[in-house]
Amino acid sequence: MSANLSCPIPASTDPTIAQADQVRGSPTCGHIVFVEPVAAHAWLRRVLVESVIPDERIAVLNAETAPGGEERTQIAMAFNGDPEEKREPRYDVLIANQVAYEGVDLQKRTCLLHHIDLPWEPATLQQRNGRGWRQGNCFPTIGINYYFAKRSSDGPRFMLISGKANWMGALLDVGRLAVGTKTRVDRQ
C-alpha cells in the first residue's frame, strides 16, 4: 500500500470547491474529508451537494451525529460496504473530525483523504491519514490532499508538522542505532 501525497492545493483555489472537484472526479470510491469545527460540517455538506454530490451519499461523523461507538461503527460500515455480503456502500463521502481518528475502520474503499484544515502535531496527522492508508484497503494507492486557505497559516503549519515529523523520525533512527551498543559517559 502506498500513499500519493499531492502537493498542497494552491491558495488561490477555494478549498471547498477544489475538494468537491476531487470527489466528482472519483465517484466510485470513498472520500474522507477532515475538518475539525462541527459548524463546518453542515456547510461543507451543502457545498458538496451544490456541486452535484447527492446528499444521501454524504455522511457526517462527529460527536453530535455519532455520540457513541455503535453509531460510529454503523456509519463506518455504511461507508465501507461489504462485497462479501453483497452490501453496497451507502456513502461516498465522509466528513469527519477527531471522532474518526481512532477506533473507526474506514480504510476498505477509501481512495482519497482530504484535509481541509490541519492539526498542530504529526501524530494527529498520522492518525487522520491512518483512517484510509492502512492494510485492508482495496486500492493499492490512495491520495492525500492538503488544502491551504488563502492568507492563512496553513502553509507554515504544514511545514511545521513536516519538520516535526522529520525531526522525530531522525531521533527514532538514532535511538535504533544505539540499541545494542554501550555508551560511556565520563564526568569530570
Side-chain angles (χ1 to χ4, degrees), residues 28 57 77-83 87-92 109:
T28 59
R57 302 296 294 174
M77 288 174 60
F79 177 76
N80 285 321
D82 191 341
R87 191 178 68 237
E88 292 293 317
R90 183 172 162 200
Y91 305 118
D92 297 319
R109 63 183 285 268

Side-chain angles (χ1 to χ4, degrees), residues 1-100:
M1 156 113 6
S2 63
N4 180 16
L5 300 175
S6 73
C7 294
I9 304 300
S12 61
T13 305
D14 180 334
T16 55
I17 302 296
Q19 191 266 325
D21 290 344
Q22 290 280 320
V23 171
R24 273 199 317 273
S26 304
T28 59
C29 61
H31 297 259
I32 302 173
V33 182
F34 285 106
V35 61
E36 282 307 313
V38 172
H41 294 178
W43 171 76
L44 184 55
R45 182 181 205 143
R46 189 173 62 247
V47 169
L48 290 170
V49 169
E50 289 171 2
S51 298
V52 197
I53 310 299
D55 186 56
E56 65 274 5
R57 302 296 294 174
I58 303 170
V60 175
L61 181 58
N62 60 43
E64 291 178 10
T65 62
E70 187 175 323
E71 294 95 341
R72 296 169 190 177
T73 299
Q74 288 174 354
I75 291 172
M77 288 174 60
F79 177 76
N80 285 321
D82 191 341
E84 292 175 10
E85 294 183 16
K86 298 191 184 338
R87 191 178 68 237
E88 292 293 317
R90 183 172 162 200
Y91 305 118
D92 297 319
V93 179
L94 179 70
I95 301 168
N97 64 7
Q98 63 188 352
V99 166

Side-chain angles (χ1 to χ4, degrees), residues 1-2 28-30 107-111 136-142:
M1 156 113 6
S2 63
T28 59
C29 61
Q107 76 275 8
K108 289 185 182 173
R109 63 183 285 268
T110 299
C111 64
N137 192 313
C138 66
F139 296 101
T141 302
I142 67 164

